[in-house]
Amino acid sequence: MIEKYKREAAKDVVYNLEYNSERQRLIIPEYGRHLQKLIDQATAIEDDETRNKAAKYIIQVMGSLNPHLRDVPDFQHKLWDQLFIMSDFKLNVESPYPIPSRDVLQLKPEILQYPQNFPKYRFYGNNIKYMIEVANKWEEGEMKNALVMVIANHMKKSFLSWNKDTVKDDVIFEHLYELSGGKINLLHSTEELLNTTDLMRTNKRMSNKTASGTQPKIQNNKNNKGGQKKNFQKNNNQK
């Protein structure tokens, strides 16, 4: 009987089982431990030509997990970057793409500038402030005037969406003058915004589209009240 199949040898195998908690931490767990061992073996190869062949073979194995993206250039770049990351940047091979560095990966992103939480006119939203800032930077002319009117109409539509009431154009112009820091002045302008009825109809149309996309339609059968099934009755007078 072969030595490795003896009962004593089987006990040794069970006794020497490896647990994941005792193993080395996987850098990218999605590829599994076998691929990590392949990369470790390729890193330890001394011959440059053999090591480069092993790296290309590992890239093919990694790409087989997503065969539809295997030949896409951007995806190939991603695979090579992941190969160097999984080797802990110890793999010395010729890459068709720039080799990433540990310092670049450890860079922290810049802090995002969150919008203000408590604007004075909350029903306009935070984006209207950015739109006004863009309009203030434009040079005077027809393009800026058109942009200002678009912003004013959007403010009026937002006002009607939340307040459900009519609003005069003078009120929108005053708010626009205040939010722009006095740079956009339409208080004495003869321009007129869109009609309140048209804006309310647009808001209602948009709300109906949202409701129809979330709620199923219920069809009422007026001829069959109560949902009872009618039985077919044969007319003996018919031939």
Side-chain angles (χ1 to χ4, degrees), residues 3-234:
E3 185 69 21
K4 65 179 180 179
Y5 293 117
K6 287 184 179 180
R7 182 174 298 178
E8 292 80 4
K11 289 182 179 179
D12 294 338
V13 172
V14 175
Y15 180 76
N16 295 319
L17 281 175
E18 285 185 320
Y19 294 93
N20 287 333
S21 58
E22 299 175 351
R23 294 175 175 176
Q24 184 181 2
R25 183 183 65 87
L26 293 177
I27 300 176
I28 303 180
E30 289 79 2
Y31 288 106
R33 191 167 298 277
H34 294 293
L35 188 64
Q36 181 67 51
K37 290 183 177 180
L38 281 176
I39 296 175
D40 295 340
Q41 293 177 4
T43 305
I45 297 176
E46 297 181 357
D47 184 59
D48 294 341
E49 184 178 357
T50 306
R51 189 168 58 251
N52 282 295
K53 289 182 179 179
K56 294 179 180 179
Y57 169 75
I58 294 173
I59 290 294
Q60 292 179 1
V61 175
M62 295 170 65
S64 63
L65 300 176
N66 297 285
H68 60 289
L69 298 174
R70 183 169 49 194
D71 298 328
V72 179
D74 293 340
F75 187 70
Q76 283 283 322
H77 193 179
K78 178 181 178 180
L79 293 180
W80 279 96
D81 289 346
Q82 291 177 343
L83 176 63
F84 288 108
I85 293 172
M86 293 176 68
S87 67
D88 197 18
F89 303 96
K90 298 178 181 178
L91 184 61
N92 185 14
V93 293
E94 297 178 359
S95 173
Y97 305 97
I99 300 176
S101 61
R102 193 189 304 272
D103 297 334
V104 174
L105 294 177
Q106 292 178 352
L107 289 176
K108 294 183 179 179
E110 298 180 358
I111 300 176
L112 294 176
Q113 296 180 357
Y114 290 95
Q116 62 182 28
N117 297 326
F118 302 101
K120 185 175 181 181
Y121 304 109
R122 301 185 65 178
F123 43 84
Y124 290 136
N126 288 314
N127 290 332
I128 200 70
K129 179 181 178 182
Y130 304 140
M131 296 170 66
I132 293 174
E133 290 178 355
V134 172
N136 288 333
K137 296 178 182 178
W138 283 21
E139 297 181 356
E140 298 294 335
E142 295 182 359
M143 294 292 293
K144 181 176 181 179
N145 295 335
L147 177 60
V148 169
M149 293 305 299
V150 170
I151 295 173
N153 283 305
H154 181 71
M155 291 173 62
K156 186 174 182 179
K157 183 174 67 174
S158 300
F159 188 100
L160 296 173
S161 298
W162 289 97
N163 294 282
K164 303 297 182 183
D165 197 2
T166 57
V167 59
K168 294 183 179 180
D169 294 349
D170 297 339
V171 177
I172 301 298
F173 293 157
E174 290 178 1
H175 292 173
L176 180 59
Y177 179 80
E178 183 179 355
L179 293 175
S180 64
K183 295 181 179 180
I184 300 178
N185 188 359
L186 297 178
L187 298 178
H188 304 290
S189 175
T190 58
E191 296 285 347
E192 294 183 359
L193 301 179
L194 295 178
N195 191 5
T196 302
T197 305
D198 296 336
L199 291 175
M200 292 295 293
R201 188 183 298 113
T202 303
N203 293 339
K204 185 177 180 181
R205 189 185 303 115
M206 294 301 296
S207 62
N208 290 337
K209 287 183 179 180
T210 305
S212 63
T214 56
Q215 298 179 357
K217 295 182 180 180
I218 301 176
Q219 296 180 355
N220 295 327
N221 190 355
K222 297 181 180 180
N223 298 328
N224 187 9
K225 297 181 179 181
Q228 297 180 357
K229 184 178 180 181
K230 291 185 178 181
N231 295 326
F232 178 78
Q233 295 181 356
K234 184 177 179 181

